[in-house]
Amino acid sequence: MKKTLLALGIFSSILMAQPLKMATTTSTDNTGLLDDLAPKFQQDTGIQLQWVSVGTGNALKLGENCDVSVLLVHSPKVEENYVKQGFGVDRKAVMYNDFVIIGDPSYLKTFQDKTLKEVFQTIQKNKIPFISRGDKSGTHNKELSIWKSLGGKTPSKQDTWYKESGQGMLATIQIASEQKAITLTDRGTFIKYTANLKGKQGLVLLSQGDDALKNFYSVIAVNPKRCKNVDYQGATRFIEWITGTQGQQAIKDFKLDGQELFTPNAQNQNHAK
């Protein structure tokens, strides 16, 4: 009997040691946010967080394929549809920052005092080089929604001035810098990019502050009724933690060069609806 209990105890310890697998976006990874949050989550819960960072579209696909147990993503309309289809459950608002338009300093005068709509119209009309993520990420979805709001033709690969990187946000910014182009990025990754420059000249802010540029993040558990192998209990603990007092304070405290990269937003669950 003692041997059986000991074996069960060892087996239970092994199960407890299994990391919680999460798919998230490049913006939460590139900024260093998760490197800051993961140890705090483990200290508070005993659960090790293991993540892969991809565009939101690919992150959701990993959940759909039952490869991860929880998602931290930022494309509200796509997320809503994902939950309606039964792939995810328990979706909660977590935090937000905003998107900004950045580009080569030579474009500062061109876009001075222009609205977001005027900025995109000017880019399209004058065929100014623009680098898109092109990867179905939350950032890519936001960019496409802005082009669509103009009422005209959404640019494509056939437009020589419009190029798709197919890469994460930091890599896309670097390509835009090399090609003296313009791109759309979340502010957190832009802050990380400028910090990496260590005072050297790089891309600069061209447009910011429009309400359409707000960037909301949500956490979603993969539906255990579809994926029998997922760690729904661990996912629930993570959701409770990151939307609770400790997780929200950790997000608020996370700064780079004295700047807050994300604003905790769990108290406003309307942004997850």
Side-chain angles (χ1 to χ4, degrees), residues 9 12 28 41 59 68 93 103 111 115 151 158 161 189-190 218 227 238 246:
S12 176
T28 55
F41 172 62
V68 296
F111 296 107
T115 65
Q158 282 68 45
W161 55 274
T189 306
F190 179 63
S218 299
C227 301
F238 179 71
Q246 291 159 305

Side-chain angles (χ1 to χ4, degrees), residues 111-238:
F111 296 107
Q112 188 175 7
D113 299 326
K114 280 185 167 55
T115 65
L116 178 65
K117 183 176 181 179
E118 289 169 341
V119 166
F120 273 71
Q121 286 174 333
T122 301
I123 292 170
Q124 195 165 35
K125 180 180 179 181
N126 296 312
K127 297 180 171 54
I128 297 173
F130 186 94
I131 309 298
S132 169
R133 285 276 295 270
D135 61 352
K136 297 183 180 179
S137 61
T139 306
H140 184 216
N141 290 338
K142 172 59 70 172
E143 177 220 321
L144 293 179
S145 73
I146 296 172
W147 289 118
K148 188 176 180 180
S149 72
L150 302 182
K153 175 178 172 286
T154 299
S156 66
K157 295 178 182 179
Q158 282 68 45
D159 296 295
T160 56
W161 55 274
Y162 183 85
K163 297 179 181 179
E164 296 181 348
S165 71
Q167 300 187 49
M169 198 66 253
L170 271 177
T172 300
I173 291 174
Q174 187 57 44
I175 292 170
S177 178
E178 292 168 358
Q179 299 189 16
K180 297 187 182 300
I182 293 172
T183 192
L184 173 77
T185 179
D186 64 282
R187 188 182 295 272
T189 306
F190 179 63
I191 291 173
K192 177 68 174 180
Y193 161 75
T194 54
N196 289 345
L197 290 175
K198 300 184 184 303
K200 295 179 181 179
Q201 180 66 66
L203 301 186
V204 297
L205 280 170
L206 300 177
S207 182
Q208 61 179 320
D210 191 285
D211 282 345
L213 293 176
K214 286 187 176 178
N215 182 27
F216 295 102
Y217 290 77
S218 299
V219 63
I220 308 172
V222 172
N223 191 345
K225 292 182 179 179
R226 286 193 69 258
C227 301
K228 304 300 181 184
N229 63 312
V230 299
D231 181 6
Y232 179 64
Q233 183 177 356
T236 299
R237 291 289 299 280
F238 179 71

Side-chain angles (χ1 to χ4, degrees), residues 27 31 33 95-97 217 251-252 254 260-264:
S27 56
T31 57
L33 176 67
M95 61 189 183
Y96 70 88
N97 60 8
Y217 290 77
I251 291 169
K252 183 176 179 60
F254 180 68
E260 189 176 306
L261 275 70
F262 301 92
T263 301

